[in-house]
Amino acid sequence: MDKQALRSYIRERKRAMTPAEIDSASARLASRFLATRAYRDARTIYGYLSYNQEVRTAPILRQALSDGKQVAVPKVSGDRMRFICLPDLTQVERGYAGIPEPIADGPVADDPTALVLMPGLAFDPQGHRIGYGGGFYDRFLAEEPGHPTVALCYTFQVLPRLETEAFDIPVDLVIWA
């Protein structure tokens, strides 16, 4: 299955999920993520604000703030993505492709050791991922290598093996439920 067909297939599976299924899986994933060493060791979380049927990240980001961690989420301008510090999760608006983004344009986060939560449509256990097609995270990680990365996804998003391109940057840890 090529990338476009796989993206369509996964999107259809996600659209078929009920709100209760999304909430239940998201709660399990949050619990597993918050118990990881990667989370415990992180001073800063570069997260994202979930959109449509994505794993719900707001509870994770609220917990990170409660734990005294800095939280930043992406804001897209043109073909660039920057992480903007977000101490208040209510200060967001619809941005690129309707995805929630910070209202403010700053301050821009600057922690080369920040733990990056990686969205995506499909993953394999080795950390390969197929994103939504914009290449924002691959470009960001190519410019700022060394960030630890974690992906949270539903079980059906994990395939035994994904074919990837040379520019695709794998994630360090994939957690699914």
Side-chain angles (χ1 to χ4, degrees):
M1 187 178 306
D2 69 13
K3 277 188 180 183
Q4 287 309 104
L6 182 57
R7 283 185 176 115
S8 294
Y9 170 75
I10 296 294
R11 282 187 173 114
E12 192 60 38
R13 291 282 310 262
K14 287 172 73 175
R15 278 192 288 271
M17 294 179 74
T18 66
E21 289 170 329
I22 293 168
D23 291 343
S24 176
S26 294
R28 287 191 311 274
L29 287 161
S31 178
R32 290 177 187 166
F33 172 70
L34 295 171
T36 65
R37 181 181 180 136
Y39 175 78
R40 286 192 312 270
D41 290 350
R43 292 178 316 197
T44 305
I45 305 295
Y46 286 4
Y48 61 91
L49 298 164
S50 50
Y51 177 67
N52 287 339
Q53 300 83 21
E54 287 181 321
V55 171
R56 302 297 181 232
T57 57
I60 291 169
L61 301 179
R62 279 193 294 275
Q63 184 62 52
L65 289 169
S66 178
D67 290 342
K69 298 178 187 295
Q70 182 179 34
V71 168
V73 298
K75 185 164 189 165
V76 172
S77 177
D79 68 347
R80 310 309 291 163
M81 177 182 77
R82 297 175 302 149
F83 282 91
I84 305 296
C85 297
L86 191 64
D88 179 352
L89 299 184
T90 66
Q91 297 301 304
V92 298
E93 63 188 1
R94 296 183 100 183
Y96 173 82
I99 299 167
E101 294 183 342
I103 294 169
D105 290 327
V108 175
D110 185 23
D111 181 349
T113 66
L115 175 60
V116 180
L117 276 178
M118 300 281 289
L121 284 169
F123 304 88
D124 69 20
Q126 297 76 37
H128 300 111
R129 85 185 248 287
I130 293 178
Y132 292 90
F136 293 104
Y137 281 84
D138 289 319
R139 282 192 299 277
F140 172 79
L141 291 171
E143 291 173 7
E144 291 195 27
H147 285 280
T149 55
V150 175
L152 306 175
C153 62
Y154 307 116
T155 302
F156 64 82
Q157 291 178 270
V158 179
L159 303 173
R161 179 164 165 69
L162 290 176
E163 295 299 321
T164 56
E165 308 290 334
F167 55 82
D168 291 330
I169 298 175
V171 299
D172 298 322
L173 176 63
V174 180
I175 303 172
W176 63 89

PDB file of all heavy atoms in Angstrom, residues 52-79:
ATOM      1  N   ASN A  52      -9.281  16.667  15.403  1.00  0.00           N
ATOM      2  CA  ASN A  52     -10.160  15.593  14.939  1.00  0.00           C
ATOM      3  C   ASN A  52     -10.069  14.383  15.868  1.00  0.00           C
ATOM      4  O   ASN A  52     -10.269  14.521  17.063  1.00  0.00           O
ATOM      5  CB  ASN A  52      -9.869  15.223  13.487  1.00  0.00           C
ATOM      6  CG  ASN A  52     -10.360  16.272  12.515  1.00  0.00           C
ATOM      7  OD1 ASN A  52     -11.236  17.061  12.850  1.00  0.00           O
ATOM      8  ND2 ASN A  52      -9.805  16.299  11.330  1.00  0.00           N
ATOM      9  N   GLN A  53      -9.715  13.229  15.338  1.00  0.00           N
ATOM     10  CA  GLN A  53      -9.720  11.998  16.149  1.00  0.00           C
ATOM     11  C   GLN A  53      -8.343  11.631  16.678  1.00  0.00           C
ATOM     12  O   GLN A  53      -8.106  10.488  17.059  1.00  0.00           O
ATOM     13  CB  GLN A  53     -10.280  10.833  15.324  1.00  0.00           C
ATOM     14  CG  GLN A  53     -11.688  11.017  14.832  1.00  0.00           C
ATOM     15  CD  GLN A  53     -11.771  11.835  13.550  1.00  0.00           C
ATOM     16  OE1 GLN A  53     -10.818  11.968  12.794  1.00  0.00           O
ATOM     17  NE2 GLN A  53     -12.928  12.405  13.308  1.00  0.00           N
ATOM     18  N   GLU A  54      -7.418  12.579  16.733  1.00  0.00           N
ATOM     19  CA  GLU A  54      -6.091  12.280  17.273  1.00  0.00           C
ATOM     20  C   GLU A  54      -6.182  11.961  18.763  1.00  0.00           C
ATOM     21  O   GLU A  54      -7.136  12.360  19.439  1.00  0.00           O
ATOM     22  CB  GLU A  54      -5.151  13.477  17.096  1.00  0.00           C
ATOM     23  CG  GLU A  54      -4.707  13.695  15.682  1.00  0.00           C
ATOM     24  CD  GLU A  54      -3.762  14.870  15.545  1.00  0.00           C
ATOM     25  OE1 GLU A  54      -3.953  15.898  16.207  1.00  0.00           O
ATOM     26  OE2 GLU A  54      -2.819  14.736  14.749  1.00  0.00           O
ATOM     27  N   VAL A  55      -5.174  11.273  19.245  1.00  0.00           N
ATOM     28  CA  VAL A  55      -5.055  11.019  20.680  1.00  0.00           C
ATOM     29  C   VAL A  55      -5.145  12.363  21.399  1.00  0.00           C
ATOM     30  O   VAL A  55      -4.494  13.334  21.010  1.00  0.00           O
ATOM     31  CB  VAL A  55      -3.708  10.322  20.995  1.00  0.00           C
ATOM     32  CG1 VAL A  55      -3.474  10.242  22.485  1.00  0.00           C
ATOM     33  CG2 VAL A  55      -3.666   8.945  20.351  1.00  0.00           C
ATOM     34  N   ARG A  56      -5.962  12.434  22.425  1.00  0.00           N
ATOM     35  CA  ARG A  56      -6.177  13.677  23.177  1.00  0.00           C
ATOM     36  C   ARG A  56      -4.924  14.012  23.985  1.00  0.00           C
ATOM     37  O   ARG A  56      -4.545  13.277  24.890  1.00  0.00           O
ATOM     38  CB  ARG A  56      -7.386  13.555  24.094  1.00  0.00           C
ATOM     39  CG  ARG A  56      -8.678  13.225  23.363  1.00  0.00           C
ATOM     40  CD  ARG A  56      -9.059  14.331  22.400  1.00  0.00           C
ATOM     41  NE  ARG A  56     -10.308  14.037  21.720  1.00  0.00           N
ATOM     42  CZ  ARG A  56     -10.452  14.068  20.405  1.00  0.00           C
ATOM     43  NH1 ARG A  56      -9.435  14.358  19.628  1.00  0.00           N
ATOM     44  NH2 ARG A  56     -11.606  13.815  19.858  1.00  0.00           N
ATOM     45  N   THR A  57      -4.297  15.124  23.646  1.00  0.00           N
ATOM     46  CA  THR A  57      -3.049  15.511  24.301  1.00  0.00           C
ATOM     47  C   THR A  57      -3.229  16.546  25.401  1.00  0.00           C
ATOM     48  O   THR A  57      -2.324  16.729  26.213  1.00  0.00           O
ATOM     49  CB  THR A  57      -2.049  16.073  23.272  1.00  0.00           C
ATOM     50  OG1 THR A  57      -2.670  17.176  22.596  1.00  0.00           O
ATOM     51  CG2 THR A  57      -1.629  15.007  22.274  1.00  0.00           C
ATOM     52  N   ALA A  58      -4.362  17.233  25.454  1.00  0.00           N
ATOM     53  CA  ALA A  58      -4.550  18.294  26.460  1.00  0.00           C
ATOM     54  C   ALA A  58      -4.331  17.783  27.891  1.00  0.00           C
ATOM     55  O   ALA A  58      -3.653  18.460  28.673  1.00  0.00           O
ATOM     56  CB  ALA A  58      -5.912  18.958  26.305  1.00  0.00           C
ATOM     57  N   PRO A  59      -4.848  16.614  28.276  1.00  0.00           N
ATOM     58  CA  PRO A  59      -4.586  16.144  29.641  1.00  0.00           C
ATOM     59  C   PRO A  59      -3.094  15.937  29.921  1.00  0.00           C
ATOM     60  O   PRO A  59      -2.619  16.218  31.028  1.00  0.00           O
ATOM     61  CB  PRO A  59      -5.349  14.813  29.730  1.00  0.00           C
ATOM     62  CG  PRO A  59      -6.430  14.939  28.702  1.00  0.00           C
ATOM     63  CD  PRO A  59      -5.813  15.744  27.577  1.00  0.00           C
ATOM     64  N   ILE A  60      -2.360  15.479  28.935  1.00  0.00           N
ATOM     65  CA  ILE A  60      -0.913  15.286  29.087  1.00  0.00           C
ATOM     66  C   ILE A  60      -0.223  16.635  29.271  1.00  0.00           C
ATOM     67  O   ILE A  60       0.621  16.799  30.157  1.00  0.00           O
ATOM     68  CB  ILE A  60      -0.340  14.549  27.861  1.00  0.00           C
ATOM     69  CG1 ILE A  60      -0.823  13.100  27.836  1.00  0.00           C
ATOM     70  CG2 ILE A  60       1.185  14.633  27.834  1.00  0.00           C
ATOM     71  CD1 ILE A  60      -0.541  12.370  26.537  1.00  0.00           C
ATOM     72  N   LEU A  61      -0.599  17.604  28.448  1.00  0.00           N
ATOM     73  CA  LEU A  61       0.032  18.918  28.532  1.00  0.00           C
ATOM     74  C   LEU A  61      -0.326  19.619  29.837  1.00  0.00           C
ATOM     75  O   LEU A  61       0.528  20.274  30.447  1.00  0.00           O
ATOM     76  CB  LEU A  61      -0.354  19.764  27.315  1.00  0.00           C
ATOM     77  CG  LEU A  61       0.035  19.170  25.952  1.00  0.00           C
ATOM     78  CD1 LEU A  61      -0.427  20.071  24.817  1.00  0.00           C
ATOM     79  CD2 LEU A  61       1.524  18.894  25.874  1.00  0.00           C
ATOM     80  N   ARG A  62      -1.574  19.466  30.293  1.00  0.00           N
ATOM     81  CA  ARG A  62      -1.961  20.041  31.593  1.00  0.00           C
ATOM     82  C   ARG A  62      -1.151  19.404  32.715  1.00  0.00           C
ATOM     83  O   ARG A  62      -0.704  20.078  33.642  1.00  0.00           O
ATOM     84  CB  ARG A  62      -3.460  19.862  31.837  1.00  0.00           C
ATOM     85  CG  ARG A  62      -4.313  20.899  31.130  1.00  0.00           C
ATOM     86  CD  ARG A  62      -5.750  20.907  31.640  1.00  0.00           C
ATOM     87  NE  ARG A  62      -6.476  19.690  31.345  1.00  0.00           N
ATOM     88  CZ  ARG A  62      -7.118  19.454  30.202  1.00  0.00           C
ATOM     89  NH1 ARG A  62      -7.128  20.368  29.254  1.00  0.00           N
ATOM     90  NH2 ARG A  62      -7.753  18.328  30.019  1.00  0.00           N
ATOM     91  N   GLN A  63      -0.958  18.077  32.658  1.00  0.00           N
ATOM     92  CA  GLN A  63      -0.178  17.396  33.683  1.00  0.00           C
ATOM     93  C   GLN A  63       1.272  17.876  33.661  1.00  0.00           C
ATOM     94  O   GLN A  63       1.886  18.072  34.706  1.00  0.00           O
ATOM     95  CB  GLN A  63      -0.231  15.881  33.507  1.00  0.00           C
ATOM     96  CG  GLN A  63       0.485  15.109  34.596  1.00  0.00           C
ATOM     97  CD  GLN A  63      -0.136  15.348  35.968  1.00  0.00           C
ATOM     98  OE1 GLN A  63      -1.346  15.192  36.138  1.00  0.00           O
ATOM     99  NE2 GLN A  63       0.662  15.727  36.951  1.00  0.00           N
ATOM    100  N   ALA A  64       1.822  18.057  32.472  1.00  0.00           N
ATOM    101  CA  ALA A  64       3.197  18.550  32.358  1.00  0.00           C
ATOM    102  C   ALA A  64       3.322  19.927  33.012  1.00  0.00           C
ATOM    103  O   ALA A  64       4.280  20.178  33.760  1.00  0.00           O
ATOM    104  CB  ALA A  64       3.623  18.603  30.896  1.00  0.00           C
ATOM    105  N   LEU A  65       2.366  20.809  32.755  1.00  0.00           N
ATOM    106  CA  LEU A  65       2.389  22.134  33.392  1.00  0.00           C
ATOM    107  C   LEU A  65       2.287  21.991  34.899  1.00  0.00           C
ATOM    108  O   LEU A  65       3.016  22.650  35.651  1.00  0.00           O
ATOM    109  CB  LEU A  65       1.255  23.008  32.851  1.00  0.00           C
ATOM    110  CG  LEU A  65       1.410  23.486  31.409  1.00  0.00           C
ATOM    111  CD1 LEU A  65       0.108  24.106  30.901  1.00  0.00           C
ATOM    112  CD2 LEU A  65       2.566  24.478  31.291  1.00  0.00           C
ATOM    113  N   SER A  66       1.399  21.118  35.357  1.00  0.00           N
ATOM    114  CA  SER A  66       1.235  20.876  36.795  1.00  0.00           C
ATOM    115  C   SER A  66       2.513  20.323  37.415  1.00  0.00           C
ATOM    116  O   SER A  66       2.824  20.614  38.577  1.00  0.00           O
ATOM    117  CB  SER A  66       0.069  19.907  37.011  1.00  0.00           C
ATOM    118  OG  SER A  66      -0.087  19.614  38.369  1.00  0.00           O
ATOM    119  N   ASP A  67       3.257  19.542  36.640  1.00  0.00           N
ATOM    120  CA  ASP A  67       4.518  18.963  37.119  1.00  0.00           C
ATOM    121  C   ASP A  67       5.679  19.945  37.032  1.00  0.00           C
ATOM    122  O   ASP A  67       6.831  19.574  37.286  1.00  0.00           O
ATOM    123  CB  ASP A  67       4.863  17.696  36.312  1.00  0.00           C
ATOM    124  CG  ASP A  67       3.927  16.533  36.618  1.00  0.00           C
ATOM    125  OD1 ASP A  67       3.236  16.554  37.661  1.00  0.00           O
ATOM    126  OD2 ASP A  67       3.891  15.590  35.794  1.00  0.00           O
ATOM    127  N   GLY A  68       5.402  21.181  36.640  1.00  0.00           N
ATOM    128  CA  GLY A  68       6.440  22.203  36.571  1.00  0.00           C
ATOM    129  C   GLY A  68       7.267  22.186  35.298  1.00  0.00           C
ATOM    130  O   GLY A  68       8.321  22.826  35.226  1.00  0.00           O
ATOM    131  N   LYS A  69       6.791  21.495  34.291  1.00  0.00           N
ATOM    132  CA  LYS A  69       7.511  21.449  33.020  1.00  0.00           C
ATOM    133  C   LYS A  69       7.041  22.600  32.125  1.00  0.00           C
ATOM    134  O   LYS A  69       5.910  23.060  32.236  1.00  0.00           O
ATOM    135  CB  LYS A  69       7.271  20.116  32.309  1.00  0.00           C
ATOM    136  CG  LYS A  69       7.771  18.913  33.110  1.00  0.00           C
ATOM    137  CD  LYS A  69       7.479  17.629  32.403  1.00  0.00           C
ATOM    138  CE  LYS A  69       7.810  16.412  33.246  1.00  0.00           C
ATOM    139  NZ  LYS A  69       9.210  16.248  33.547  1.00  0.00           N
ATOM    140  N   GLN A  70       7.917  23.041  31.248  1.00  0.00           N
ATOM    141  CA  GLN A  70       7.521  24.013  30.243  1.00  0.00           C
ATOM    142  C   GLN A  70       6.823  23.256  29.124  1.00  0.00           C
ATOM    143  O   GLN A  70       7.242  22.145  28.757  1.00  0.00           O
ATOM    144  CB  GLN A  70       8.735  24.752  29.709  1.00  0.00           C
ATOM    145  CG  GLN A  70       8.388  25.822  28.692  1.00  0.00           C
ATOM    146  CD  GLN A  70       9.612  26.559  28.179  1.00  0.00           C
ATOM    147  OE1 GLN A  70      10.683  25.990  28.043  1.00  0.00           O
ATOM    148  NE2 GLN A  70       9.436  27.827  27.882  1.00  0.00           N
ATOM    149  N   VAL A  71       5.775  23.842  28.577  1.00  0.00           N
ATOM    150  CA  VAL A  71       5.037  23.232  27.472  1.00  0.00           C
ATOM    151  C   VAL A  71       5.060  24.196  26.293  1.00  0.00           C
ATOM    152  O   VAL A  71       4.847  25.403  26.455  1.00  0.00           O
ATOM    153  CB  VAL A  71       3.581  22.922  27.886  1.00  0.00           C
ATOM    154  CG1 VAL A  71       2.722  22.573  26.676  1.00  0.00           C
ATOM    155  CG2 VAL A  71       3.547  21.800  28.912  1.00  0.00           C
ATOM    156  N   ALA A  72       5.329  23.654  25.127  1.00  0.00           N
ATOM    157  CA  ALA A  72       5.282  24.436  23.894  1.00  0.00           C
ATOM    158  C   ALA A  72       4.573  23.592  22.841  1.00  0.00           C
ATOM    159  O   ALA A  72       4.651  22.359  22.856  1.00  0.00           O
ATOM    160  CB  ALA A  72       6.688  24.802  23.431  1.00  0.00           C
ATOM    161  N   VAL A  73       3.860  24.274  21.954  1.00  0.00           N
ATOM    162  CA  VAL A  73       3.155  23.585  20.877  1.00  0.00           C
ATOM    163  C   VAL A  73       3.451  24.292  19.556  1.00  0.00           C
ATOM    164  O   VAL A  73       3.837  25.461  19.548  1.00  0.00           O
ATOM    165  CB  VAL A  73       1.628  23.500  21.129  1.00  0.00           C
ATOM    166  CG1 VAL A  73       1.332  22.699  22.386  1.00  0.00           C
ATOM    167  CG2 VAL A  73       1.012  24.877  21.209  1.00  0.00           C
ATOM    168  N   PRO A  74       3.273  23.597  18.436  1.00  0.00           N
ATOM    169  CA  PRO A  74       3.665  24.171  17.150  1.00  0.00           C
ATOM    170  C   PRO A  74       2.728  25.257  16.648  1.00  0.00           C
ATOM    171  O   PRO A  74       1.525  25.234  16.896  1.00  0.00           O
ATOM    172  CB  PRO A  74       3.655  22.976  16.199  1.00  0.00           C
ATOM    173  CG  PRO A  74       2.913  21.904  16.867  1.00  0.00           C
ATOM    174  CD  PRO A  74       2.853  22.210  18.319  1.00  0.00           C
ATOM    175  N   LYS A  75       3.353  26.167  15.932  1.00  0.00           N
ATOM    176  CA  LYS A  75       2.633  27.181  15.165  1.00  0.00           C
ATOM    177  C   LYS A  75       3.298  27.208  13.794  1.00  0.00           C
ATOM    178  O   LYS A  75       4.515  27.277  13.687  1.00  0.00           O
ATOM    179  CB  LYS A  75       2.709  28.543  15.841  1.00  0.00           C
ATOM    180  CG  LYS A  75       1.868  29.590  15.143  1.00  0.00           C
ATOM    181  CD  LYS A  75       1.634  30.805  16.010  1.00  0.00           C
ATOM    182  CE  LYS A  75       0.616  31.719  15.348  1.00  0.00           C
ATOM    183  NZ  LYS A  75       0.099  32.702  16.285  1.00  0.00           N
ATOM    184  N   VAL A  76       2.473  27.127  12.755  1.00  0.00           N
ATOM    185  CA  VAL A  76       2.974  27.043  11.386  1.00  0.00           C
ATOM    186  C   VAL A  76       2.866  28.402  10.712  1.00  0.00           C
ATOM    187  O   VAL A  76       1.860  29.095  10.832  1.00  0.00           O
ATOM    188  CB  VAL A  76       2.185  25.978  10.584  1.00  0.00           C
ATOM    189  CG1 VAL A  76       2.542  26.009   9.111  1.00  0.00           C
ATOM    190  CG2 VAL A  76       2.425  24.599  11.173  1.00  0.00           C
ATOM    191  N   SER A  77       3.942  28.742  10.016  1.00  0.00           N
ATOM    192  CA  SER A  77       3.963  29.950   9.192  1.00  0.00           C
ATOM    193  C   SER A  77       4.659  29.564   7.883  1.00  0.00           C
ATOM    194  O   SER A  77       5.849  29.232   7.884  1.00  0.00           O
ATOM    195  CB  SER A  77       4.734  31.067   9.898  1.00  0.00           C
ATOM    196  OG  SER A  77       4.806  32.209   9.080  1.00  0.00           O
ATOM    197  N   GLY A  78       3.898  29.564   6.802  1.00  0.00           N
ATOM    198  CA  GLY A  78       4.458  29.114   5.525  1.00  0.00           C
ATOM    199  C   GLY A  78       4.795  27.632   5.602  1.00  0.00           C
ATOM    200  O   GLY A  78       3.959  26.823   5.973  1.00  0.00           O
ATOM    201  N   ASP A  79       6.045  27.293   5.306  1.00  0.00           N
ATOM    202  CA  ASP A  79       6.457  25.885   5.388  1.00  0.00           C
ATOM    203  C   ASP A  79       7.285  25.616   6.638  1.00  0.00           C
ATOM    204  O   ASP A  79       7.916  24.574   6.759  1.00  0.00           O
ATOM    205  CB  ASP A  79       7.214  25.456   4.126  1.00  0.00           C
ATOM    206  CG  ASP A  79       8.565  26.136   3.985  1.00  0.00           C
ATOM    207  OD1 ASP A  79       8.828  27.120   4.711  1.00  0.00           O
ATOM    208  OD2 ASP A  79       9.365  25.681   3.148  1.00  0.00           O
TER     209      ASP A  79
END
